[in-house]
Coordinates of all heavy atoms in Angstrom, one line a residue:
M173 N 13.0 -16.4 -11.4 CA 11.6 -16.1 -11.0 C 10.9 -17.4 -10.7 O 10.3 -18.1 -11.5 CB 10.9 -15.4 -12.2 CG 11.3 -14.0 -12.4 SD 11.1 -12.9 -11.0 CE 9.3 -12.7 -11.0
G174 N 10.8 -17.8 -9.4 CA 10.2 -19.0 -9.1 C 8.7 -18.8 -8.7 O 7.9 -19.7 -8.8
W175 N 8.4 -17.6 -8.1 CA 7.0 -17.5 -7.6 C 6.6 -16.0 -7.6 O 7.5 -15.1 -7.6 CB 6.9 -18.1 -6.2 CG 8.0 -17.6 -5.3 CD1 9.3 -18.1 -5.1 CD2 8.0 -16.4 -4.4 NE1 10.0 -17.4 -4.2 CE2 9.2 -16.3 -3.8 CE3 7.0 -15.5 -4.1 CZ2 9.5 -15.4 -2.8 CZ3 7.3 -14.5 -3.2 CH2 8.5 -14.4 -2.6
V176 N 5.4 -15.8 -7.6 CA 4.8 -14.5 -7.5 C 4.1 -14.4 -6.1 O 3.3 -15.2 -5.8 CB 3.8 -14.1 -8.6 CG1 3.2 -12.8 -8.3 CG2 4.5 -14.2 -9.9
S177 N 4.6 -13.5 -5.3 CA 4.1 -13.4 -3.9 C 2.6 -12.8 -3.9 O 2.2 -12.1 -4.8 CB 5.0 -12.4 -3.2 OG 4.5 -12.2 -1.9
M178 N 1.9 -13.3 -2.9 CA 0.6 -12.7 -2.7 C 0.8 -11.3 -2.0 O 1.8 -11.0 -1.4 CB -0.3 -13.6 -1.8 CG 0.3 -13.8 -0.4 SD -0.9 -14.6 0.7 CE -1.7 -15.9 -0.2
R179 N -0.3 -10.5 -2.1 CA -0.3 -9.2 -1.4 C -1.4 -9.2 -0.4 O -2.5 -9.6 -0.8 CB -0.4 -8.1 -2.4 CG -0.5 -6.7 -1.8 CD -0.2 -5.6 -2.8 NE -0.2 -4.3 -2.1 CZ -1.3 -3.6 -2.0 NH1 -2.4 -3.9 -2.7 NH2 -1.3 -2.4 -1.4
V180 N -1.1 -8.8 0.8 CA -2.1 -8.8 1.8 C -2.5 -7.4 2.2 O -1.6 -6.5 2.3 CB -1.6 -9.6 3.1 CG1 -2.7 -9.6 4.2 CG2 -1.1 -11.0 2.7
V181 N -3.7 -7.1 2.4 CA -4.2 -5.8 2.8 C -5.1 -6.0 4.1 O -6.0 -6.8 4.0 CB -5.0 -5.1 1.7 CG1 -5.5 -3.7 2.2 CG2 -4.2 -4.9 0.4
V182 N -4.9 -5.2 5.1 CA -5.8 -5.3 6.2 C -6.5 -3.9 6.4 O -5.9 -2.9 6.1 CB -5.0 -5.6 7.5 CG1 -4.4 -7.0 7.5 CG2 -4.0 -4.6 7.9
Q183 N -7.7 -4.0 6.9 CA -8.5 -2.8 7.2 C -8.6 -2.7 8.7 O -9.5 -3.4 9.3 CB -9.8 -2.9 6.5 CG -9.7 -2.7 5.0 CD -11.1 -2.8 4.4 OE1 -11.5 -3.9 4.0 NE2 -11.8 -1.7 4.3
Q184 N -7.7 -1.9 9.3 CA -7.7 -1.8 10.8 C -9.1 -1.3 11.3 O -9.5 -1.7 12.4 CB -6.6 -0.9 11.2 CG -5.6 -1.6 12.1 CD -4.5 -0.8 12.6 OE1 -4.5 0.5 12.4 NE2 -3.5 -1.4 13.1
S185 N -9.8 -0.5 10.5 CA -11.0 0.1 10.9 C -12.1 -1.0 11.1 O -13.1 -0.8 11.8 CB -11.5 1.1 10.0 OG -11.7 0.6 8.7
K186 N -12.0 -2.1 10.4 CA -12.9 -3.2 10.5 C -12.6 -4.2 11.6 O -13.4 -4.9 12.1 CB -13.0 -4.0 9.2 CG -13.8 -3.4 8.1 CD -13.9 -4.4 7.0 CE -14.7 -3.9 5.8 NZ -14.8 -4.9 4.8
C187 N -11.3 -4.3 12.0 CA -10.8 -5.3 12.9 C -11.5 -5.2 14.3 O -11.7 -4.1 14.8 CB -9.3 -5.1 13.1 SG -8.5 -6.2 14.3
I188 N -11.9 -6.3 14.8 CA -12.5 -6.4 16.1 C -11.6 -7.0 17.2 O -12.0 -7.5 18.2 CB -13.9 -7.1 16.1 CG1 -13.7 -8.5 15.6 CG2 -14.9 -6.3 15.3 CD1 -14.9 -9.4 15.8
A189 N -10.3 -7.2 16.8 CA -9.2 -7.6 17.7 C -9.5 -9.0 18.3 O -9.2 -9.3 19.4 CB -9.1 -6.6 18.9
S190 N -10.0 -9.9 17.4 CA -10.2 -11.3 17.9 C -8.9 -12.1 18.1 O -8.9 -13.0 18.8 CB -11.1 -12.0 16.9 OG -10.4 -12.3 15.7
G191 N -7.9 -11.7 17.3 CA -6.7 -12.4 17.4 C -6.6 -13.6 16.6 O -5.6 -14.3 16.6
N192 N -7.6 -13.9 15.8 CA -7.7 -15.2 15.0 C -6.5 -15.2 14.0 O -5.9 -16.2 13.8 CB -9.0 -15.2 14.3 CG -9.2 -16.5 13.5 OD1 -9.2 -17.6 14.1 ND2 -9.2 -16.4 12.2
C193 N -6.3 -14.1 13.3 CA -5.2 -14.1 12.3 C -3.9 -14.3 12.9 O -3.0 -15.0 12.3 CB -5.3 -12.7 11.6 SG -5.1 -11.3 12.6
V194 N -3.6 -13.8 14.1 CA -2.3 -14.0 14.7 C -2.1 -15.5 15.1 O -1.0 -16.0 15.0 CB -2.2 -13.1 16.0 CG1 -0.9 -13.3 16.7 CG2 -2.4 -11.7 15.6
M195 N -3.2 -16.1 15.5 CA -3.1 -17.5 15.9 C -2.8 -18.4 14.7 O -2.1 -19.4 14.7 CB -4.4 -18.0 16.6 CG -4.5 -17.5 18.0 SD -5.9 -18.3 18.9 CE -7.3 -17.6 18.0
R196 N -3.4 -18.0 13.5 CA -3.2 -18.8 12.3 C -1.9 -18.5 11.6 O -1.3 -19.4 10.9 CB -4.4 -18.6 11.4 CG -5.7 -19.3 11.9 CD -6.8 -19.1 11.0 NE -8.0 -19.6 11.6 CZ -8.4 -20.9 11.5 NH1 -7.7 -21.8 10.9 NH2 -9.6 -21.2 12.1
A197 N -1.5 -17.2 11.6 CA -0.4 -16.8 10.8 C 0.4 -15.8 11.5 O 0.4 -14.6 11.1 CB -0.8 -16.3 9.4
G198 N 1.1 -16.2 12.6 CA 1.8 -15.2 13.4 C 3.0 -14.6 12.8 O 3.5 -13.6 13.3
Q199 N 3.5 -15.2 11.7 CA 4.6 -14.6 11.0 C 4.2 -13.4 10.1 O 5.0 -12.5 9.7 CB 5.3 -15.6 10.0 CG 5.9 -16.8 10.7 CD 4.9 -17.9 10.7 OE1 3.7 -17.8 10.5 NE2 5.4 -19.1 11.0
V200 N 2.9 -13.3 9.9 CA 2.4 -12.3 9.0 C 1.5 -11.2 9.7 O 1.5 -10.1 9.3 CB 1.6 -12.9 7.8 CG1 0.9 -11.9 6.9 CG2 2.4 -13.9 7.0
F201 N 0.9 -11.6 10.8 CA 0.0 -10.7 11.5 C 0.4 -10.6 13.0 O 0.9 -11.6 13.6 CB -1.5 -11.2 11.5 CG -2.0 -11.4 10.1 CD1 -2.1 -12.7 9.6 CD2 -2.4 -10.3 9.4 CE1 -2.6 -12.9 8.3 CE2 -3.0 -10.5 8.1 CZ -3.0 -11.8 7.5
D202 N 0.2 -9.4 13.5 CA 0.4 -9.2 14.9 C -0.7 -8.4 15.4 O -1.5 -7.9 14.6 CB 1.8 -8.5 15.2 CG 2.3 -8.7 16.6 OD1 1.6 -9.3 17.4 OD2 3.4 -8.2 16.9
Q203 N -0.8 -8.1 16.7 CA -1.8 -7.3 17.3 C -1.2 -6.2 18.1 O -0.2 -6.4 18.8 CB -2.7 -8.1 18.2 CG -3.6 -9.0 17.5 CD -4.5 -9.8 18.5 OE1 -4.0 -10.8 19.0 NE2 -5.7 -9.3 18.8
R204 N -1.7 -5.0 18.0 CA -1.2 -3.8 18.7 C -1.4 -4.0 20.2 O -2.4 -4.6 20.6 CB -2.0 -2.6 18.3 CG -1.2 -1.5 17.8 CD -1.9 -0.4 17.0 NE -3.2 0.0 17.4 CZ -3.9 0.8 16.7 NH1 -3.4 1.3 15.6 NH2 -5.1 1.2 17.1
D205 N -0.3 -3.6 20.9 CA -0.3 -3.9 22.4 C -1.5 -3.2 23.1 O -2.1 -3.8 23.9 CB 1.0 -3.4 23.0 CG 2.1 -4.3 22.7 OD1 1.8 -5.5 22.4 OD2 3.3 -3.9 22.8
D206 N -1.8 -2.0 22.7 CA -2.8 -1.2 23.5 C -4.2 -1.6 23.3 O -5.0 -1.7 24.2 CB -2.6 0.3 23.3 CG -2.6 0.7 21.9 OD1 -2.5 -0.2 21.0 OD2 -2.6 1.9 21.6
D207 N -4.6 -1.9 22.0 CA -6.0 -2.2 21.7 C -6.3 -3.5 21.0 O -7.4 -3.9 20.7 CB -6.7 -1.0 21.0 CG -5.9 -0.7 19.7 OD1 -5.1 -1.5 19.2 OD2 -6.2 0.4 19.1
G208 N -5.2 -4.2 20.6 CA -5.3 -5.5 20.0 C -5.7 -5.5 18.5 O -5.9 -6.6 18.0
L209 N -5.7 -4.3 17.9 CA -6.0 -4.3 16.5 C -4.9 -4.9 15.7 O -3.7 -4.9 16.1 CB -6.3 -2.8 16.1 CG -7.6 -2.2 16.6 CD1 -7.8 -0.8 16.0 CD2 -8.8 -3.1 16.4
V210 N -5.3 -5.4 14.5 CA -4.3 -6.1 13.7 C -3.2 -5.2 13.2 O -3.4 -4.0 12.9 CB -5.1 -6.8 12.5 CG1 -5.7 -5.7 11.6 CG2 -4.2 -7.7 11.7
I211 N -2.0 -5.8 13.1 CA -0.8 -5.2 12.5 C -0.4 -6.1 11.4 O -0.2 -7.3 11.7 CB 0.3 -5.0 13.5 CG1 -0.1 -4.0 14.7 CG2 1.5 -4.4 12.8 CD1 0.9 -4.0 15.8
L212 N -0.2 -5.6 10.2 CA 0.4 -6.4 9.2 C 1.9 -6.4 9.2 O 2.5 -5.3 9.0 CB -0.2 -5.9 7.8 CG 0.2 -6.7 6.6 CD1 -0.3 -8.1 6.7 CD2 -0.4 -6.0 5.3
L213 N 2.5 -7.5 9.4 CA 4.0 -7.6 9.5 C 4.6 -7.8 8.2 O 5.7 -7.4 8.0 CB 4.4 -8.8 10.4 CG 3.9 -8.8 11.9 CD1 4.3 -10.1 12.5 CD2 4.5 -7.6 12.6
D214 N 3.9 -8.4 7.3 CA 4.5 -8.8 6.0 C 3.4 -8.7 4.9 O 2.6 -9.5 4.8 CB 5.1 -10.2 6.1 CG 5.8 -10.6 4.9 OD1 5.9 -9.8 3.9 OD2 6.4 -11.7 4.9
E215 N 3.5 -7.6 4.1 CA 2.5 -7.4 3.0 C 2.6 -8.4 1.9 O 1.7 -8.7 1.2 CB 2.7 -6.0 2.5 CG 1.7 -5.5 1.5 CD 2.1 -4.1 0.9 OE1 3.0 -4.0 0.2 OE2 1.4 -3.2 1.3
N216 N 3.8 -9.0 1.7 CA 4.1 -9.9 0.6 C 4.6 -11.2 1.2 O 5.8 -11.5 1.1 CB 5.1 -9.4 -0.4 CG 4.5 -8.1 -1.0 OD1 5.1 -7.0 -0.9 ND2 3.4 -8.2 -1.8
P217 N 3.8 -12.1 1.8 CA 4.3 -13.3 2.5 C 4.9 -14.3 1.5 O 4.4 -14.3 0.3 CB 3.0 -13.9 3.1 CG 2.0 -12.8 3.1 CD 2.3 -11.9 2.0
V218 N 5.8 -15.0 1.9 CA 6.4 -16.0 1.1 C 5.4 -17.2 0.9 O 4.5 -17.3 1.7 CB 7.7 -16.6 1.7 CG1 8.8 -15.5 1.8 CG2 7.4 -17.2 3.1
P219 N 5.6 -17.9 -0.2 CA 4.6 -19.0 -0.5 C 4.4 -20.0 0.7 O 3.3 -20.5 0.9 CB 5.2 -19.7 -1.7 CG 6.0 -18.7 -2.4 CD 6.6 -17.8 -1.3
G220 N 5.4 -20.2 1.5 CA 5.3 -21.1 2.6 C 4.2 -20.6 3.6 O 3.7 -21.4 4.4
H221 N 3.9 -19.4 3.6 CA 2.9 -18.8 4.6 C 1.6 -18.6 3.9 O 0.6 -18.2 4.6 CB 3.4 -17.5 5.1 CG 4.6 -17.6 6.0 ND1 5.5 -16.6 6.2 CD2 5.2 -18.7 6.7 CE1 6.5 -17.0 7.0 NE2 6.3 -18.2 7.3
A222 N 1.5 -18.9 2.6 CA 0.3 -18.5 1.9 C -1.0 -19.3 2.4 O -2.0 -18.7 2.6 CB 0.5 -18.8 0.4
G223 N -0.8 -20.5 2.7 CA -2.0 -21.3 3.2 C -2.5 -20.8 4.5 O -3.7 -20.6 4.7
A224 N -1.6 -20.4 5.4 CA -2.0 -19.9 6.7 C -2.7 -18.5 6.5 O -3.6 -18.2 7.2 CB -0.8 -19.8 7.6
V225 N -2.1 -17.8 5.6 CA -2.7 -16.4 5.4 C -4.1 -16.5 4.8 O -5.0 -15.7 5.2 CB -1.8 -15.6 4.5 CG1 -2.4 -14.3 4.1 CG2 -0.4 -15.3 5.2
R226 N -4.3 -17.4 3.9 CA -5.6 -17.6 3.3 C -6.6 -18.0 4.4 O -7.8 -17.5 4.4 CB -5.6 -18.7 2.2 CG -5.0 -18.2 1.0 CD -5.3 -19.1 -0.2 NE -4.4 -18.8 -1.3 CZ -3.3 -19.4 -1.6 NH1 -2.9 -20.4 -0.8 NH2 -2.5 -19.0 -2.6
L227 N -6.2 -18.9 5.3 CA -7.1 -19.3 6.4 C -7.4 -18.2 7.3 O -8.5 -18.0 7.8 CB -6.5 -20.5 7.1 CG -6.5 -21.8 6.4 CD1 -5.8 -22.9 7.3 CD2 -7.9 -22.3 6.2
A228 N -6.4 -17.4 7.6 CA -6.6 -16.2 8.4 C -7.6 -15.3 7.8 O -8.5 -14.7 8.5 CB -5.2 -15.5 8.6
A229 N -7.5 -15.0 6.5 CA -8.5 -14.2 5.9 C -9.9 -14.8 5.9 O -10.9 -14.1 6.2 CB -8.0 -13.9 4.4
E230 N -9.9 -16.1 5.6 CA -11.2 -16.7 5.5 C -12.0 -16.7 6.8 O -13.2 -16.6 6.9 CB -11.0 -18.2 5.1 CG -12.3 -19.0 4.8 CD -11.9 -20.3 4.2 OE1 -10.8 -20.6 3.7 OE2 -12.8 -21.2 4.3
F231 N -11.2 -16.9 7.9 CA -11.8 -17.0 9.2 C -11.8 -15.7 10.1 O -12.2 -15.7 11.2 CB -11.2 -18.2 10.0 CG -11.6 -19.5 9.4 CD1 -10.7 -20.2 8.6 CD2 -12.8 -20.0 9.6 CE1 -11.1 -21.4 8.0 CE2 -13.2 -21.3 9.1 CZ -12.3 -21.9 8.3
C232 N -11.3 -14.6 9.5 CA -11.4 -13.4 10.2 C -12.9 -13.0 10.4 O -13.6 -12.9 9.5 CB -10.7 -12.3 9.4 SG -11.1 -10.6 10.1
P233 N -13.3 -12.9 11.7 CA -14.8 -12.6 11.9 C -15.2 -11.3 11.4 O -16.4 -11.1 11.2 CB -14.9 -12.7 13.4 CG -13.5 -12.5 13.9 CD -12.6 -13.0 12.9
A234 N -14.3 -10.4 11.1 CA -14.7 -9.0 10.7 C -14.4 -8.8 9.2 O -14.7 -7.7 8.7 CB -13.9 -8.0 11.5
Q235 N -13.9 -9.9 8.5 CA -13.6 -9.7 7.1 C -12.7 -8.5 6.9 O -12.9 -7.8 5.9 CB -14.8 -9.7 6.2 CG -15.6 -11.0 6.4 CD -16.9 -11.0 5.5 OE1 -17.5 -10.0 5.3 NE2 -17.2 -12.2 5.0
A236 N -11.7 -8.4 7.7 CA -10.8 -7.2 7.7 C -9.5 -7.5 6.9 O -8.7 -6.6 6.8 CB -10.4 -6.8 9.1
I237 N -9.4 -8.7 6.3 CA -8.2 -9.1 5.6 C -8.5 -9.4 4.2 O -9.4 -10.3 3.9 CB -7.5 -10.4 6.3 CG1 -7.2 -10.1 7.7 CG2 -6.3 -10.8 5.5 CD1 -6.8 -11.3 8.5
Q238 N -7.9 -8.8 3.3 CA -8.0 -9.0 1.8 C -6.7 -9.6 1.3 O -5.6 -9.1 1.7 CB -8.4 -7.8 1.1 CG -9.9 -7.6 0.9 CD -10.5 -7.1 2.2 OE1 -10.0 -6.1 2.8 NE2 -11.6 -7.7 2.7
I239 N -6.8 -10.5 0.3 CA -5.7 -11.1 -0.3 C -5.8 -10.8 -1.8 O -6.8 -11.0 -2.4 CB -5.6 -12.6 -0.1 CG1 -5.4 -12.8 1.4 CG2 -4.4 -13.2 -0.9 CD1 -5.5 -14.3 1.7
E240 N -4.7 -10.3 -2.4 CA -4.7 -10.1 -3.8 C -3.6 -11.0 -4.4 O -2.4 -11.0 -3.9 CB -4.3 -8.6 -4.2 CG -5.3 -7.6 -3.6 CD -4.8 -6.2 -3.6 OE1 -3.7 -6.0 -4.2 OE2 -5.5 -5.3 -3.1
E241 N -3.9 -11.8 -5.4 CA -2.8 -12.6 -6.0 C -3.1 -12.9 -7.4 O -4.1 -12.5 -8.0 CB -2.6 -13.9 -5.2 CG -3.8 -14.6 -4.6 CD -3.5 -15.8 -3.8 OE1 -2.3 -16.2 -3.8 OE2 -4.3 -16.2 -3.0
Ligands
SF4_321 S1 -8.8 -12.0 12.7 FE1 -9.7 -10.2 11.8 S2 -10.8 -9.2 13.5 FE2 -9.4 -10.7 14.4 S3 -7.5 -9.6 14.9 FE3 -7.3 -10.4 12.8 S4 -7.9 -8.8 11.4 FE4 -8.7 -8.3 13.5

C-alpha cells in the first residue's frame, strides 16, 4: 500500500464547456464531441496526476469539479 488515490467527481450540469480541465489534465478529463461538456476519464487518478487535477478543479470557471481525498 503505497498511496491512497484521490476521487474526482464532476457535475456535468454545471459545466460550461470551457475546456480548462482538459488543457490542465488531459489524462483525467475529456470533452464530449457534440457539446463540449466535461467527461471524467479517470475517477481515481494516480498520484502523478494529482497536481494537475487539483489545478483543474481550482480553475474550473463553473466549479464543476470536486475532489475527495
Ligand atoms: S473546466 Fe469546468 S467548465 Fe470547463 S470543461 Fe472542465 S468542468 Fe467544464
Side-chain angles (χ1 to χ4, degrees):
M173 290 299 290
W175 50 274
V176 177
S177 178
M178 61 168 40
R179 178 163 180 264
V180 182
V181 178
V182 298
Q183 288 178 267
Q184 239 178 16
S185 59
K186 284 188 175 179
C187 176
I188 58 168
S190 72
N192 185 65
C193 54
V194 180
M195 284 189 291
R196 290 183 186 271
Q199 299 93 342
V200 177
F201 303 102
D202 199 359
Q203 287 179 276
R204 234 164 36 188
D205 282 340
D206 52 349
D207 56 14
L209 293 185
V210 64
I211 299 170
L212 185 59
L213 298 176
D214 186 358
E215 184 182 74
N216 299 115
V218 296
H221 294 158
V225 171
R226 284 195 195 94
L227 287 176
E230 186 175 341
F231 290 101
C232 169
Q235 298 181 326
I237 302 169
Q238 268 77 49
I239 297 173
E240 301 166 6
E241 36 188 346

